[in-house]
């Protein structure tokens, strides 16, 4: 079995962060989201993975992920020139996939139990496709499945319906055998101009192929927006069991709970309450770091309070004398409090920036 991870798209819902970074490379607990998908496929015994990339961010993905050797895997990159749908991504990867069964994993998704149990179910059931479902409160934002009440059989699938027939969303993990390729060849682009994977699976159902499903009871996270990223960060940090102090504590710094402090990091007169993660070569002084916060490598924070936030690499929050929470702050961002008079907000904000002032 092969793996196919989708790491293309334009990431419009995460701008301005994704103006300069692929959304799948954004960190959750200081690790790129994409890495969680790769590790999930490896845990399922998959050794060959194709990664769908876009022209805009493909080189960044290649630079960060590499050839797969760090995981003992072989990774190939497949360029999807335009984001024309999930089924189009499968079509683009046809040469890589051949006639082998495969797992398709959306690169900005996280699921608690990984994909190994799904691969086992797929193999035992001898089905042509297997989909994972999850009850959600906003089904119109996802592909939606309607199941028969008597036997749980899939009746129909719809992509982002205005009036959903159920609250069962398709989780971003799919398993297929070679018959999906014929189904994709037989569908047309949707009203959105995309080849929808839901239409291809529906085509399998309509032509009497066997499609299985499983309703997920544990967590699943789609990290398409800022608040989704923070929730993913919270969930992953909350499950962190290790406490590791690889840095240095100075001047009565205190740590409580599950906290990781990376190599070369210095905390001077700081309080950190876990779960929290501080990367390598960071410097924190006269600051408070609260639960569900991750701080990337090389960051510098002085005279600030931070909680439930993600600070990316080399971020600088200097002499801020205020509290930051529920925030996602990008690479190399500088945030400080000016001493100039008169007191005023002095901002330089790029396209699609979002700022709340209180």
């Amino acid at each position: 079995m092969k793996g196919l991870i989708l790491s293309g798209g334009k990431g419009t819902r995460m701008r301005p962060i994704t103006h300069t970074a692929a959304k799948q490379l954004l960190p959750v607990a200081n690790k790129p989201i994409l890495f969680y998908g790769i590790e999930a496929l490896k845990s399922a015994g998959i050794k060959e993975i194709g990664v769908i990339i876009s022209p805009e961010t493909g080189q960044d993905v290649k630079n960060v992920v590499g050839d797969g050797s760090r995981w003992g895997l072989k990774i190939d990159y497949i360029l999807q020139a335009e984001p024309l749908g999930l089924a189009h991504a499968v079509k683009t990867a046809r040469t890589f996939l051949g006639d082998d069964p495969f797992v398709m994993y959306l690169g900005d998704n996280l699921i608690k139990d990984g994909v190994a149990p799904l691969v086992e179910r797929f193999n035992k059931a001898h089905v042509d496709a297997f989909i994972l479902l999850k009850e959600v409160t906003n089904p119109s934002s996802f592909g939606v499945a309607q199941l028969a009440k008597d036997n749980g059989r899939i009746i129909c699938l719809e992509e982002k319906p205005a009036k959903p027939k159920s609250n069962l969303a398709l989780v971003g993990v799919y398993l297929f055998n070679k018959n999906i390729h014929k189904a994709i060849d037989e569908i047309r682009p949707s009203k959105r101009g995309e080849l929808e994977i839901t239409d291809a699976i529906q085509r399998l159902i309509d032509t009497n192929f066997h499609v299985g499903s499983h309703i997920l009871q544990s967590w699943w996270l789609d990290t398409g927006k800022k608040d989704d990223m923070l929730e993913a960060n919270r969930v992953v940090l909350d499950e962190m069991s290790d406490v590791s102090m690889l840095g240095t504590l100075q001047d009565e710094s205190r740590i409580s709970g599950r906290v990781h402090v990376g190599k070369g990091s210095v905390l001077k007169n700081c309080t950190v309450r876990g779960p929290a993660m501080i990367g390598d070569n960071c410097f924190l002084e006269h600051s408070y770091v609260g639960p569900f916060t991750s701080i990337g490598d090389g960051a510098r924070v002085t005279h600030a309070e931070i909680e439930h936030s993600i600070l990316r690499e080399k971020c600088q929050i200097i002499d801020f004398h205020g509290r930051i929470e529920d925030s996602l702050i990008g690479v190399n961002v500088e945030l400080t409090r000016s001493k100039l008079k008169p007191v005023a907000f002095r901002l330089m904000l790029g396209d699609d920036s979002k700022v709340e002032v209180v």
Side-chain angles (χ1 to χ4, degrees):
M1 178 172 280
K2 291 178 179 176
L4 184 67
I5 297 181
L6 275 59
S7 186
K10 298 182 184 296
T12 55
R13 294 183 298 168
M14 287 292 290
R15 289 177 178 170
I17 296 291
T18 49
H19 279 312
T20 55
K23 62 179 179 178
Q24 297 86 1
L25 297 180
L26 297 178
V28 169
N30 280 1
K31 181 165 67 175
I33 303 167
L34 187 58
F35 285 18
Y36 291 93
I38 293 171
E39 291 166 0
L41 293 180
K42 179 186 177 181
S43 296
I46 292 170
K47 301 185 186 306
E48 290 185 69
I49 297 175
V51 178
I52 298 286
I53 56 175
S54 68
E56 295 85 359
T57 60
Q59 191 58 52
D60 290 339
V61 173
K62 288 183 179 181
N63 292 342
V64 172
V65 176
D67 62 2
S69 56
R70 76 173 76 183
W71 297 281
L73 304 170
K74 182 179 183 296
I75 291 181
D76 291 301
Y77 294 96
I78 303 154
L79 180 65
Q80 185 184 24
E82 291 288 338
L84 298 177
L86 302 186
H88 180 266
V90 175
K91 197 167 189 173
T92 304
R94 183 73 172 87
T95 300
F96 166 77
L97 295 170
D99 288 336
D100 296 320
F102 64 98
V103 180
M104 182 170 75
Y105 192 108
L106 304 192
D108 56 356
N109 278 223
L110 294 171
I111 59 173
K112 176 179 173 62
D113 297 326
V115 300
L118 304 178
V119 171
E120 185 177 353
R121 283 173 176 265
F122 177 82
N123 290 331
K124 285 184 177 180
H126 301 289
V127 294
D128 298 285
F130 193 87
I131 60 175
L132 195 57
L133 305 173
K134 177 72 175 178
E135 293 184 353
V136 297
T137 58
N138 57 334
S140 60
S141 298
F142 304 95
V144 175
Q146 182 184 13
L147 305 183
K149 293 182 179 179
D150 53 349
N151 59 11
R153 181 178 57 85
I154 301 171
I155 298 174
C156 72
L157 301 171
E158 296 179 287
E159 185 63 32
K160 297 182 174 64
K163 296 181 179 180
K165 295 177 181 178
S166 82
N167 67 339
L168 292 173
L170 275 74
V171 172
V173 179
Y174 310 79
L175 294 92
F176 299 112
N177 67 15
K178 65 180 181 180
N179 293 315
I180 191 64
H181 301 299
K182 185 173 185 294
I184 291 173
D185 289 340
E186 294 172 350
I187 63 173
R188 302 290 184 187
S190 66
K191 293 179 181 179
R192 303 193 305 161
E194 298 185 2
L195 286 177
E196 311 286 3
I197 199 66
T198 46
D199 290 345
I201 300 170
Q202 185 67 50
R203 181 62 183 166
L204 288 176
I205 295 170
D206 294 342
T207 50
N208 298 317
F209 286 99
H210 188 187
V211 179
S213 67
H214 172 68
I215 299 177
L216 187 66
Q217 301 301 321
S218 56
W219 55 257
W220 159 57
L221 301 165
D222 176 13
T223 60
K225 298 179 182 178
K226 185 263 288 185
D227 288 344
D228 299 330
M229 281 289 300
L230 294 177
E231 175 63 10
N233 197 60
R234 183 195 69 78
V235 169
V236 173
L237 287 178
D238 199 35
E239 297 200 343
M240 183 174 70
S241 57
D242 296 335
V243 177
S244 50
M245 171 52 64
L246 305 178
T248 303
L249 300 183
Q250 298 179 356
D251 295 352
E252 300 182 358
S253 289
R254 295 174 296 168
I255 286 180
S256 60
R258 291 162 290 147
V259 175
H260 168 86
V261 178
K263 295 178 181 178
S265 291
V266 176
L267 278 63
K268 191 173 182 179
N269 197 25
C270 293
T271 298
V272 182
R273 293 179 181 168
M277 181 168 289
I278 299 170
D280 296 343
N281 301 312
C282 297
F283 178 78
L284 282 70
E285 184 178 21
H286 298 293
S287 294
Y288 165 77
V289 177
F292 310 119
T293 299
S294 61
I295 299 177
D297 295 348
R300 182 180 178 91
V301 180
T302 66
H303 296 281
E305 297 182 14
I306 304 170
E307 188 165 312
H308 192 246
S309 294
I310 298 173
L311 276 61
R312 295 205 61 195
E313 306 92 296
K314 299 180 181 178
C315 174
Q316 295 192 63
I317 300 177
I318 307 298
D319 296 333
F320 187 70
H321 297 283
R323 185 176 180 85
I324 297 169
E325 61 182 34
D326 303 334
S327 298
L328 172 57
I329 300 177
V331 176
N332 281 322
V333 168
E334 296 182 13
L335 181 59
T336 187
R337 189 176 293 273
S338 175
K339 297 178 181 178
L340 296 176
K341 300 295 183 179
V343 175
F345 296 108
R346 297 178 179 88
L347 309 173
M348 184 173 72
L349 302 175
D351 296 348
D352 302 305
S353 293
K354 295 175 177 61
V355 176
E356 293 183 12
V357 178
V358 296

